[in-house]
Amino acid sequence: MTDSTATPRKGRPRNADADRAILAATRAVLAELGWGGLTMGDVAVRAGVAKTTLYRRWPSKNDLVVSAVAVLFDELEMADLGSLRADIEAVVRQFADLLALPESQAALLALFAEATRDPALRQRVREAIIEPQKCLVRQGRAAAQARGELPPDTSPAQAREDVDIIFDTIAGAVEHRILITGEPASPEWITRFTTLLLTPLTQP
């Protein structure tokens, strides 16, 4: 689902187990030491690999942390459950469960805080995390249109704007609920949120 690793370089084949260990170690160090305390050396020691191994895969700390966060979203999916309501509730529940994990919370908060100060990092977050996740919105929206639950697009620009707004609404609401207020996304909350989201979407 996401661009969870940097662009592969020519040479020795990638080791998936090593990649997973490195990305997990990155999130662990980030949770313990924060962005400022994280170094490539710390991650290499925690993952049990040589520091040069990290730099062959991720040329910078920014690339490494973005990949470590992006891979968390790989399991999110927009399953076609037969109705737009069911599809939205399912993806919101997956997203909420992901954000409830301590490693997800620490990694996301540190990454987003640093991105507010670093335009290049912010752009990398958009490319590797945000844009791939908008594919879920496009999939769910297309399925709902095929079922007749949503009207067809009037233009490509309108379609892009709708996807952006839907994504921002879902991501913003769930992240605020979990990361900012610390409240759980209960089944009742998800149902109510979905109802509020669907009302304007399904109006003629």
Side-chain angles (χ1 to χ4, degrees), residues 27-77:
R27 293 190 297 272
V29 174
L30 194 62
E32 293 177 15
L33 304 178
W35 183 278
L38 185 147
T39 68
M40 301 289 267
D42 290 333
V43 173
V45 171
R46 182 73 63 95
V49 300
K51 191 174 178 179
T52 53
T53 300
L54 262 68
Y55 281 107
R56 280 200 301 268
R57 289 162 162 77
W58 296 277
S60 72
K61 174 177 169 178
N62 282 8
D63 289 324
L64 176 61
V65 175
V66 169
S67 292
V69 173
V71 75
L72 293 172
F73 294 86
D74 280 352
E75 299 304 317
L76 295 182
E77 62 179 2

Side-chain angles (χ1 to χ4, degrees), residues 116-176:
T116 63
R117 297 185 287 268
D118 185 338
L121 178 59
R122 186 183 306 159
Q123 178 63 28
R124 181 69 181 130
V125 168
R126 279 199 294 265
E127 294 170 351
I129 300 176
I130 296 174
E131 289 302 324
Q133 297 312 309
K134 286 184 180 179
C135 291
L136 298 179
V137 177
R138 295 188 187 96
Q139 291 169 11
R141 189 169 174 274
Q145 288 173 325
R147 292 190 297 258
E149 295 177 285
L150 292 179
D153 299 331
T154 58
S155 70
Q158 172 258 323
R160 288 193 298 271
E161 186 174 88
D162 284 357
V163 167
D164 287 346
I165 291 173
I166 294 169
F167 176 84
D168 289 347
T169 301
I170 294 175
V174 178
E175 287 173 4
H176 185 274

Side-chain angles (χ1 to χ4, degrees), residues 71-93:
V71 75
L72 293 172
F73 294 86
D74 280 352
E75 299 304 317
L76 295 182
E77 62 179 2
M78 179 66 79
D80 187 349
L81 299 178
S83 74
L84 182 56
R85 171 177 287 277
D87 291 349
I88 291 175
E89 289 185 349
V91 78
V92 169
R93 188 175 302 109

